[in-house]
Amino acid sequence: MDEQKHLHYGHRARLRERVKKEGIENFQDYQVLEYVLSFVLPYKDTNPTAHMLINKFGSFDKVLEANIEDIASVKGMGEVSASFLATLRLIFSFYQKQKNNCIDFISNTQETFDYAKNLFAGKRKEEIYVISLLASNKIAGVDKIAEGTINQANCSIRAITDIMASRKVANIILLHNHPEGVAQPSGEDDKITKALVYALAISGSHLTDHMIIAGDEFYSYKMKNKIVEYSNEVSNIIGLSHVKSKPEARYDIGQE
């Protein structure tokens, strides 16, 4: 091993030892990349490459979200190492999905947010999911129903009620993400939420919550009392005294 390779090997060993002792919480973006790249760029100083990646894309997460071709264009990178970085996001998403598989019950807004945050980790497109809940708050199933901006066309109420029938539930939580935005509802979000509350109320079923996720922030229609508001509206408009309400899951308000 020549002197240059020996220097890089020693630096990598020290970096691995630091990660083993301290974790990476106190690392800067380029240091995390430097550590990751050390496993796919043998006998090479990955520090300059890590800096160039951060300079080009802006942050660690933006590097992982970049196209393989764009990553590979950075000096010191190649197709294999670029593919490795671009694949990490998918691996993280798979890991979070597996973590969610261990969650059996949801009973408040904080638990919904924790579940949804894992579900949408690494997602670059807007996606819409339905969590089916039994009256005991046990999760009966999680179904992806659409991609793209939420509206009457791609968030079909019929599709949702079909899922509820197949899952044999009367309670659902609607989830969708704003990957590049903020956790605030659009006019279309409000329209579909109100329409869903109306449709389910007529059959005695319940929209437990509709939650919008944007990174570490969320908006809960339940927390903002919108579910109750819409339920009261439909009751005043058409009256629901003749409708037998099905058992409702208990769902509490967590910390905002």
Side-chain angles (χ1 to χ4, degrees):
M1 185 182 295
D2 61 34
E3 183 178 356
Q4 190 68 17
K5 288 183 178 179
H6 178 73
L7 288 174
H8 295 327
Y9 180 81
H11 176 66
R12 289 163 188 252
R14 289 190 296 272
L15 192 60
R16 287 195 296 270
E17 189 62 27
R18 181 183 173 189
V19 172
K20 187 187 300 184
K21 290 181 178 180
E22 304 175 14
I24 61 173
E25 289 79 8
N26 297 320
F27 275 34
Q28 296 185 49
D29 284 14
Y30 79 89
Q31 291 174 312
V32 179
L33 271 178
E34 182 183 2
Y35 173 70
V36 171
L37 289 172
S38 70
F39 294 97
V40 289
L41 297 175
Y43 305 119
K44 188 173 185 178
D45 185 1
T46 59
N47 182 281
T49 305
H51 275 287
M52 284 186 282
L53 285 165
I54 296 298
N55 289 338
K56 181 177 178 65
F57 299 106
S59 61
F60 178 79
D61 61 309
K62 295 301 181 184
V63 172
L64 301 194
E65 293 173 359
N67 294 326
I68 293 176
E69 294 78 12
D70 291 335
I71 298 174
S73 70
V74 174
K75 184 179 179 180
M77 296 295 293
E79 185 177 349
V80 173
S81 53
S83 296
F84 175 74
L85 287 185
T87 304
L88 284 179
R89 176 177 53 83
L90 303 177
I91 295 172
F92 297 156
S93 179
F94 185 81
Y95 167 75
Q96 296 294 356
K97 183 179 179 181
Q98 292 292 304
K99 291 279 287 183
N100 268 359
N101 288 341
C102 299
I103 300 175
D104 295 325
F105 292 84
I106 288 181
S107 58
N108 59 58
T109 52
Q110 184 60 53
E111 291 174 356
T112 300
F113 172 61
D114 292 340
Y115 190 98
K117 188 176 179 181
N118 286 341
L119 188 66
F120 293 120
K123 300 295 180 64
R124 290 186 288 183
K125 294 182 179 179
E126 190 164 329
E127 298 181 350
I128 307 166
Y129 285 84
V130 169
I131 299 178
S132 297
L133 288 180
L134 301 176
S136 64
N137 290 88
K138 182 178 176 62
I139 296 175
V142 181
D143 297 278
K144 179 179 175 180
I145 60 171
E147 282 188 6
T149 303
I150 189 169
N151 56 49
Q152 294 280 2
N154 66 13
C155 187
S156 166
I157 290 177
R158 175 61 183 273
I160 293 173
T161 55
D162 284 348
I163 288 171
M164 295 178 72
S166 66
R167 297 288 189 184
K168 296 180 173 58
V169 299
N171 303 271
I172 61 163
I173 297 173
L174 189 66
L175 301 175
H176 83 276
N177 61 330
H178 287 175
E180 302 296 333
V182 295
Q184 288 296 323
S186 66
E188 288 293 338
D189 295 334
D190 289 340
K191 287 179 184 178
I192 192 64
T193 305
K194 182 180 290 190
L196 191 52
V197 169
Y198 279 32
L200 296 185
I202 292 172
S203 66
S205 298
H206 314 281
L207 177 62
T208 303
D209 199 356
H210 175 189
M211 185 172 286
I212 301 167
I213 309 299
D216 292 326
E217 299 180 350
F218 71 92
Y219 179 96
S220 163
Y221 277 82
K222 174 71 172 183
M223 185 175 283
K224 298 298 184 181
N225 294 316
K226 291 292 186 178
I227 303 293
V228 172
E229 177 185 324
Y230 297 156
S231 296
N232 290 337
E233 283 183 16
V234 66
S235 182
N236 292 333
I237 292 171
I238 62 175
L240 295 173
S241 58
H242 62 289
V243 177
K244 183 177 180 180
S245 179
K246 298 172 184 176
E248 188 170 2
R250 177 177 176 178
Y251 189 75
D252 299 322
I253 304 300
Q255 296 297 317
E256 190 170 10

